[in-house]
Amino acid sequence: MKKILIINGPNLNLTGRREPEVYGTMTMDDIVAATRIALAGRAEISYFQSNHEGAIIDCLHSAGFGEADGIVLNAGAYTHTSLAIADAIAAIDVPVVEVHMSNVASREEVRHRSYIAPVCRGTIAGFGADVYRLGAEALLGASGC
Ligand code: DQA
């Protein structure tokens, strides 16, 4: 069975009560549980969240050389600022799919730029809580892990 790691960046621990009109009302516990159920028998899903850039980089390093088969990453606002996370993704062996619950392309200009998109396998955005399942599905598919 494939090992998929979901990594969430800053503020995503507040999903469910943070700007529910943008990010919905499901908590991350609910979303991870639903993702596990949807992929049962096909993938083992582990989950990590941090509000700290360095902790996200440490997690990419420790999972990225075989500990996980694939990584689904919602880097939150670090998506739009972090060359260091982009470098970490480029450094590791394991494929990373970038996800965003909101459609970042339809939001403020500052959210249109992703530092991590060029070093990720692909990007899924705008489908709410489903992006985690869709990201994992992409990793399990032919061009994934
Ligand atoms: C987000 C989009 C980012 O622009 C934002 O900073 C987030 C969440 C999303 O899931 O839609 O924190 O990554």
Side-chain angles (χ1 to χ4, degrees):
M1 192 147 38
K2 296 287 187 187
K3 286 180 283 179
I4 306 282
L5 170 64
I6 296 172
I7 302 179
N8 264 351
N11 301 305
L12 290 159
N13 52 311
L14 297 181
T15 301
R17 59 179 179 161
R18 164 199 190 206
E19 301 179 80
E21 66 291 352
V22 179
Y23 301 114
T25 53
M26 280 175 86
T27 66
M28 271 320 298
D29 281 354
D30 294 338
I31 293 170
V32 173
T35 307
R36 285 195 174 114
I37 289 167
L39 296 165
R42 294 194 292 145
E44 249 170 48
I45 308 287
S46 53
Y47 178 66
F48 176 82
Q49 188 274 333
S50 179
N51 295 318
H52 305 276
E53 190 174 22
I56 294 165
I57 292 166
D58 288 343
C59 183
L60 287 163
H61 290 178
S62 58
F65 294 96
E67 186 83 2
D69 295 305
I71 296 172
V72 175
L73 172 63
N74 185 346
Y78 286 141
T79 304
H80 319 298
T81 63
S82 181
L83 186 56
I85 290 177
D87 281 351
I89 296 167
I92 63 176
D93 293 339
V94 165
V96 177
V97 171
E98 173 187 10
V99 301
H100 301 285
M101 288 185 279
S102 64
N103 180 359
V104 281
S106 71
R107 299 182 64 191
E108 312 94 293
E109 188 93 39
V110 71
R111 295 184 205 275
H112 298 181
R113 169 87 196 264
S114 170
Y115 279 77
I116 67 172
V119 288
C120 286
R121 193 59 69 90
T123 301
I124 297 168
F127 299 102
D130 278 347
V131 297
Y132 294 96
R133 178 181 56 79
L134 294 168
E137 292 280 7
L139 287 165
L140 296 173
S143 55
C145 60

